[in-house]
Amino acid sequence: MKEIFIDDQYVVISKDDYRMLKEEHALLTKQAAAKASVPENVTLKGEVINPMMIDGVRFINRKDAAKILDVGFPTLWRWNNEGLLHAIKVGGRKVYYRYDDVLNLMKGGKLC
């Protein structure tokens, strides 16, 4: 048994549970450090993305969105149809996404 204090409360837990909590905490700390150290405009594979700025809003093309989210064009199209990501068509074939929406989706958030 291990005795610890959490928020000024005395707690007794087993050694296995304590070890599991310690490992979980170490993993979460490592993940937070990894997220903080990578700039937003760099994909998971280290490629640099340069969004276009239009009226104060950043946009990226579908190729860059696919790189950031590490998915293919069909997945982007499906997410657009499901409302997870909103595509903006320019001209006949050019497709753009709001950069902030792509980052929010990457971090596990939902849009719309």
Side-chain angles (χ1 to χ4, degrees):
M1 295 303 231
K2 182 76 174 167
E3 301 170 356
I4 59 173
F5 284 93
I6 300 176
D7 294 331
D8 296 332
Q9 292 186 7
Y10 182 70
V11 179
V12 178
I13 60 174
S14 69
K15 287 182 181 180
D16 291 336
D17 288 340
Y18 179 71
R19 191 176 313 122
M20 184 181 68
L21 282 173
K22 249 176 105 173
E23 289 171 2
E24 233 176 79
H25 177 70
L27 179 65
L28 290 173
T29 303
K30 191 175 186 180
Q31 288 174 347
K35 284 183 181 178
S37 65
V38 176
E40 284 186 345
N41 65 337
V42 176
T43 67
L44 296 174
K45 295 177 183 174
E47 300 164 291
V48 177
I49 304 296
N50 293 315
M52 298 182 308
M53 188 73 86
I54 301 173
D55 293 333
V57 180
R58 297 179 296 178
F59 291 95
I60 56 174
N61 60 30
R62 67 179 167 179
K63 182 180 174 185
D64 290 341
K67 282 182 188 177
I68 291 172
L69 296 169
D70 200 25
V71 297
F73 291 165
T75 303
L76 291 176
W77 179 81
R78 184 171 37 89
W79 286 349
N80 183 48
N81 288 341
E82 292 172 356
L84 289 174
L85 195 61
H86 182 68
I88 299 158
K89 289 195 175 186
V90 177
R93 300 181 61 103
K94 293 184 181 183
V95 177
Y96 292 94
Y97 297 94
R98 284 188 50 210
Y99 186 60
D100 294 335
D101 291 347
V102 172
L103 290 180
N104 188 33
L105 188 61
M106 181 182 74
K107 293 175 183 173
K110 289 191 177 181
L111 311 172
C112 303

